[in-house]
Amino acid sequence: MRKKTKFIHGGISRDPYTGAVSTPIYQVSTYKQDGVGNFKYEYSRTGNPTREALEKLIADIEEGTHGFAFSSGMAAITAAIQLFSAGDHVIATDDVYGGTFRVMTKVLNRFNIDVTFVDTSNLDAVKEAIQPNTKAIYVETPTNPLLKITDLKSISKIAKEHQLTFIVDNTFSTPYWQNPLTLGADIVVHSATKYLGGHSDVVAGLIVVKDEKLAEDIHFIQNSTGGILGPQDSWLLMRGIKTLGVRMEEIEQNTKKIVEFLQNHPQVEKVYYPGLETHPGHEIHRSQSAGFGGMISFTVESQEKALDVLKKTRYFTLAESLGAVESLISIPSLMTHASIPRERRLELGIEDGLIRISVGIEDIEDLLEDLESALR
Ligand SMILES: *Cc1c(COP(=O)(O)O)cnc(C)c1O
């Protein structure tokens, strides 16, 4: 099955009880048992048919064997790190999603899980960070907002040599463009709130693995800690995933045109996009991903100018989040990355005049006119 077909026919594409083409919303908490211990489903925290259809679907489309659906991306990421114990050490990409940084440095640290943040696009830095108690490498690629690229195959080699669990947050690329499990990752996590849902109407997280033991361990954590996705949101997410391919294709086309426009605009200083040959991670990204995605960051001369642009756009909606059908625009230094001290932000390259856009599927002519008039 090819990808777009899989988004529609993967997992359980027909309700086994009624033949319904769309898996029904099984809004139920418990199930009648035919005798003590004789049941297909026991209790909906442990398993629910609607959630299970979604979990089978995400396993299929990420080239894994087992999927798990959580109430948010953060719940999924937290569950993945809960595989480890007090005294264990994790290496993570230095510009991971802000919420991931927060849970690692303000919550999981209290349980003595220690994290070292390194630039994972630098393989030597990753090797140097390995300690005797290191148990995992956690990578995001491309990153937010500067779209830095990490070489997944090379990190997987390092992880295997040291028997480390290799976890990849694949939110930005989506399974349509990139499948980390086929590049050597052990665990893929997603904020399905973004491209997978795709319509700014559901908060959800996913985990996919390809190993029986890891699947057992993740299910144990999911059932024990209970951060599951409800049936209604599971259904919404399956509905979103059906059109992931067409949305990502459309977004890719729009993004390329916007990048070209920004590069030629006199008010724009720098453009960050992995599809540019001048992007330092371009070749690596091309080798591991079939598309460049819909995220672009660019700089204008100052924060005042950036604020002015945001005030004037009509179709680019000022909002956090990304990956939706509507184009979104934000200023990382004032929004997603405001909690990072300015000095550290500048070290990371997140300048005051940096603008991040998430390209949607509106008519490209409208998007270009919108940016043109806002930048003027
Ligand atoms: C949004 C996001 C998360 C967190 O997901 P939520 O669904 O908001 O909890 C994690 N990683 C990345 C890359 C994200 O963009």
Side-chain angles (χ1 to χ4, degrees), residues 72-74 77 97 100 140 169 171-172 191-194 203-204 322:
S72 69
M74 285 324 303
I77 290 164
Y97 176 74
T100 306
E140 233 174 80
D169 181 335
T171 302
F172 270 39
S191 169
T193 314
K194 315 294 168 54
V203 174
L322 58 105

